[in-house]
Amino acid sequence: MPEEAWNSYANALIEVAPSKILGNLLELNELPPAWRQLSSYPLSNNRGINGNDFQFVLKHPISAEKKSLENLTRFWNSSNAETKKRFLGALEEAERRVAERLRVADSIMKFAIIWNDLPKELQHEYEKALYENNFNPAIAEELVHLPADPLMPDHDWLSRLDIYASLKSGEVKLLRFKLSPVQGFIGNARTERDLWAGSHMLSLLTYLAISFMWRKFGPNSIIFPHLRGQPFFDHELGTLNDEKGLLIGNMPNKVLAIVPEDADIKRLGEEMGNEIRGFLERLAEGVWEFYGVKEHLGEDFNEEYKKSERGYFSITLEAIPITSLGPNEVISDVLHEYLREIPNEIESPLHSYSELFLLLDQATEFKSRDYVRPEEGEGFKCTLCGEHLAIGGNSPYSDVREKWANFVEHLHNKGIYDIKKGERLCPLCLAKRFYHRFYALWKKNYAIVHSDGEKLGELIKKHFEKKSLDRMSFRSVSEVAMAKPTEKAIGLKETNELYITEPDGETRPVSWADIYKEILIELGIEKGPRGNFGGTQANELGKILYELAGSLLIPFKRLAPNSEVFYVENLRNLKALAKIYGTDENDSRLRGVSVETIRSSVEKLSKLIGEPPKYYAILKMDGDNMGKVISGSRAVKELREYAHPSVAGSVPENIKRPITPTVHVAITRSLSNFAVNAVPDVSNSHGAELLYAGGDDVFALVPADTVVSLAYKLQRNFRVDWKGFEQLQGKTRSMSAGVLFVYYKEPLYSAVRRVNELEHMAKNSGRNALTIGHLKHSGSYYKVSLNWGVFGEPLKNLLKELGNEKSGLSNRLIYEIAEGIEVWPNDPGAVINLLKYEIERHSHYRGEEKSQKLFEKLAEFLWVARNVRVTLSKKDIETVGLDYQKDTLERLNEELKKVVVDDPEKEEPTDTFDEVRNGLGAYLSDGSGPLWFLKLEEGFEKVVPRETAKKLAGIVLRKQLRGAAHLLKILKEMGVSL
């Protein structure tokens, strides 16, 4: 970035700041043509300004939901021309002070620090200037968020300023960076720390590329991810207030920037690749030094290992010039119509942005797929990734096994348990195991990313030996599982026999996670306040805890704390206990351990509060149709809806507004806000172990009882329009998610693969969905895809009644439906009657209310089924006598999606519970009613004959009821709270 760039940015701010935008409305000044051309649809300067009745609003860049600027509006409409001029003078003085700070920045680092704090700096100066001139200081916040164009207010002026400042330097082009692979690298995991390390390493590697770009072209050049307020960016600048924000990787593996047209892309790619590969090599050298790899495995970090390290990641860089496209040159119908309506005198190359971005994105994807990793020699592969040679893996197997066994034994004797017995790792996977140690230093000092590798290893070794680094720990899957209170513990809390009191005075059931934490504090392994246990059984709990802590002193102190000691199957004998530590019963560090004593205390606790939970959940979420949002083909509204109401009539009708770069900046700011603020806060409140939150992606380990509530609240947060003046993605957007309930001993890499598949199922079902999977220890596996709308009062009420053997419904109902519905007929009416019969047969309702109760439960069960997503298969259409044709099946499933899939762009779901309940009443009365399966029949009749359509609707209804039964079964068995 040229030295005069900060001066150029300061000049840009002065040219287009709120004093100039508002002055333009009063015709006191003109705005630069290049600024006006960045509007989605520029209008005449004073059009729509009607005397003293103009309402300032900011509209959401996607949903078009408005946010009123009430203080500014009140002032503007109650002030005369002279007062307004004096007001603008005060604003101009504040803007000059901020611009001067930018202007005198004598380094890119100082400029970046000021740019990062620009909203706060502006608000502070506005408040000061307004107060000194007897104006309302509350207007200051609204000025920071003033629309860049009050007549087309679909983004704020600071979002546009970043692009405008880049354009002032001359011709520009879009630059796309991609780092891959992602899923494979993260998914190669045996432990929770592996998962975290993989995602965090990827975030840091991506950020190194981003850092190179912003230091060269300025932080305002990065469109995605937006850097302002990003913890990694704050950390590099030295302005981070809370290092906790660094713990979760939140950098996506794709980056979008706007750079000068003459930027040498090939050279940029090489330099950015050197940044990433150089860090990986230094990290590996630190690994060699810290673990003593050469000394104990006899291996140098030689060229073969360096080649493997350098060649693992594909680093792709592509660029496209920003040029004007004619309506006949574009593929997108949205952009075609839009360009046709933009007046020639105000059209700019940036109005073609949406198609240019898609072309660039596709080119980047294609190029990244062409990458071929360097070949490696023959030998024994890494036991973690299975892809690369283990260190020393080209030696005879007996030598490899013996050297690694001795190496691991040596590390364990030093108190380093990063590698388990039997593991043999490649340099990259060993670096992943080492990464938490690197992170402990990096969070204190960003600059160590540039440290010499050998010195890095020595420094970490020094801190390790002095025990001066924070203990880097993640809750294991068993710890996460144990955060869910048992039914017995819940009962004890309800009867005031045993509970724990939180600092805020609230009481809750005691969990096995509380037990584990209490033991760690008792043994001095962790610091913190002791649990405030209460109730008539509190003293009994305290006695058992003291006994258990004493019996766990040796393994917890000599080896490591491990919550799996609370499962009795791991306490059969010393061999079973040793296994959970990755060692054997001959390990000298286990000498003196009494497994019988540990088991006795655990059994006492189990008798008191119930056996510890063994299932936890993995949550993976992703925003839907992000590419289509950028192209304008999805989730955006007509151009007229983004206009100020006073000028909407001057904007062409029936034209959708594609995304412009300024709107894209506004959207990416909202994604950063979601990932950095919303996701961690909501995750913490649900007891989740958050491992990744980048843009619209979320990955977490969650207690079984809270995971559905967490997923639901995250997608609701994602769809918020405004939080104050900060926007999220808005009500027309959606997320899809996969949730896997899984046994704590299931291999983590296998569980991660399954949850990825569940998320893809949710996407493929029509998006805006949650797919839940339950993988039982026995091997059985249930999956069901759902609309988010199912998680409401009807489902809660139904769950509450199930299992109530005295006055509700027997749990046997859901098992009968899940196992027996396959033999039910295909006629929808017969299916409804059979469902009614089964509910009545398994109910315990009595008296006058029985009939109404049965109807309510039938309606609730049908409501759940209506929100289950299913598809018709080849077997289904053959069952009803149709010859299989791919086209027919696809058309039938499209009709099915139209009825069942909730569209986020509609304000309400396709059906409400009241509509289903009322429709059921009509259907039971005379066979009519607006029920979804009747709508399905109508849709299917467009494809197949009427009788066949009816049978297919019956098949769909049976599948949905079976899915509803599976959902209820999973939620009951997992103790899920909604």
Side-chain angles (χ1 to χ4, degrees), residues 55-58 66-71 73 142 725:
Q55 303 294 314
F56 286 94
V57 298
L58 182 60
K66 73 177 182 179
K67 175 74 176 175
S68 296
L69 280 62
E70 296 174 357
N71 293 306
T73 296
E142 296 178 354
F725 282 99

Side-chain angles (χ1 to χ4, degrees), residues 1 16 56 72 78 82 190 273 278 310 362 368 385 388 426 435 498 510 547 552 598 656 672 680 750 791 844 863 889:
M1 187 177 187
V16 298
F56 286 94
L72 178 60
S78 63
E82 283 304 312
R190 290 275 194 286
R310 285 194 297 261
Q362 290 169 5
S368 68
C385 70
H388 306 299
C426 67
Y435 187 77
L498 186 63
V510 175
E547 291 175 7
L552 290 172
I598 298 172
K656 283 192 172 183
S672 292
S750 172
F791 300 108
H844 303 282
W863 165 251
L889 184 59

Side-chain angles (χ1 to χ4, degrees), residues 25 45-55 76-77 84 151 644-647:
L25 295 179
N45 294 347
N46 60 354
R47 189 182 297 176
I49 308 299
N50 299 318
N52 291 326
D53 191 26
F54 185 78
Q55 303 294 314
W76 198 259
N77 292 332
K84 289 176 183 176
L151 303 183
H644 192 280
S646 65
V647 297

Side-chain angles (χ1 to χ4, degrees), residues 501-507:
T501 304
E502 298 280 28
D504 61 3
E506 291 291 318
T507 60

